[in-house]
Amino acid sequence: MGFDRRVLGGLLVLFCAPAMGQDLGAAPAPVAGPPAAQDTIFWYPAPSRCTYFTPEARSAFRFDDPQTWRFAFLVMRETRAENPVERGYVMVDGVLRELEKVRSGADGAEAVVTVWRSAGEPRVNVHMTVRETGRAAETVNLAGTMTLIRGDGRREIAVEGNCTG
């Protein structure tokens, strides 16, 4: 038993120790510039109300293949609440960010624009601008753009997806 504790203790020290040459007193560098465009959310199964893919990820998606469940943006709804709240999810620079809906409505071109914002820092805003491309039973198919905004940086990404309910 003593040997197991020593091995476990050694592994904990190894995994918790700072990297060689790391300055422990330095604050993390602020993230500048636009968010990375290639970040995707791998979430299987995604219990979402809305799923958005890049066009390439949409082409590769196979319902029965969990490895293809790579999303640009997800919307989930708290269904047990009296007034359900929707939350958005986006992967930015390798970190999954939860977003709250700020507002949603039609723009001058009749597209639906929804503005989302993160609660934590660095602040991330997402503007989803989509149009309906078709309907099937309780599903609405959508296509448009997702604009990721961080500070002065902006990145626009084409998206395709669907919403239910």
Side-chain angles (χ1 to χ4, degrees), residues 65-86:
D65 182 359
Q67 292 303 314
T68 65
W69 288 55
R70 309 267 177 194
F71 306 101
F73 192 78
L74 295 171
V75 177
M76 297 192 192
R77 179 185 287 165
E78 172 56 53
T79 57
R80 295 182 205 166
E82 187 174 312
N83 295 319
V85 174
E86 289 185 334

Side-chain angles (χ1 to χ4, degrees), residues 113-136:
V113 179
T114 305
V115 177
W116 300 85
R117 73 170 171 219
S118 65
E121 294 297 331
R123 176 78 63 189
V124 175
N125 291 323
V126 175
H127 295 190
M128 296 294 291
T129 304
V130 295
R131 287 186 173 76
E132 185 177 320
T133 60
R135 286 184 177 264

Side-chain angles (χ1 to χ4, degrees), residues 83-100:
N83 295 319
V85 174
E86 289 185 334
R87 296 285 181 207
Y89 294 87
V90 67
M91 184 75 75
V92 178
D93 298 327
V95 177
L96 182 65
R97 303 295 301 267
E98 183 179 67
L99 305 134
E100 61 184 351

Side-chain angles (χ1 to χ4, degrees), residues 12-156:
L12 284 173
V13 168
L14 178 67
F15 290 121
C16 295
M20 298 282 289
Q22 179 179 354
D23 182 1
L24 296 178
V31 179
Q38 70 277 6
D39 288 353
T40 59
I41 302 168
F42 173 66
W43 197 322
Y44 175 83
S48 58
R49 188 178 89 71
C50 299
T51 56
Y52 293 95
F53 302 85
T54 63
E56 298 80 21
R58 178 67 168 195
S59 301
F61 179 73
R62 301 291 173 261
F63 188 81
D64 58 347
D65 182 359
Q67 292 303 314
T68 65
W69 288 55
R70 309 267 177 194
F71 306 101
F73 192 78
L74 295 171
V75 177
M76 297 192 192
R77 179 185 287 165
E78 172 56 53
T79 57
R80 295 182 205 166
E82 187 174 312
N83 295 319
V85 174
E86 289 185 334
R87 296 285 181 207
Y89 294 87
V90 67
M91 184 75 75
V92 178
D93 298 327
V95 177
L96 182 65
R97 303 295 301 267
E98 183 179 67
L99 305 134
E100 61 184 351
K101 187 189 289 188
V102 177
R103 65 182 171 274
S104 186
D107 67 3
E110 297 303 314
V112 175
V113 179
T114 305
V115 177
W116 300 85
R117 73 170 171 219
S118 65
E121 294 297 331
R123 176 78 63 189
V124 175
N125 291 323
V126 175
H127 295 190
M128 296 294 291
T129 304
V130 295
R131 287 186 173 76
E132 185 177 320
T133 60
R135 286 184 177 264
E138 294 183 24
T139 302
V140 177
N141 296 319
L142 304 160
T145 59
M146 173 175 73
T147 305
L148 297 166
I149 304 164
R150 180 178 55 215
D152 292 335
R154 300 173 74 88
R155 172 103 4 129
E156 191 170 285

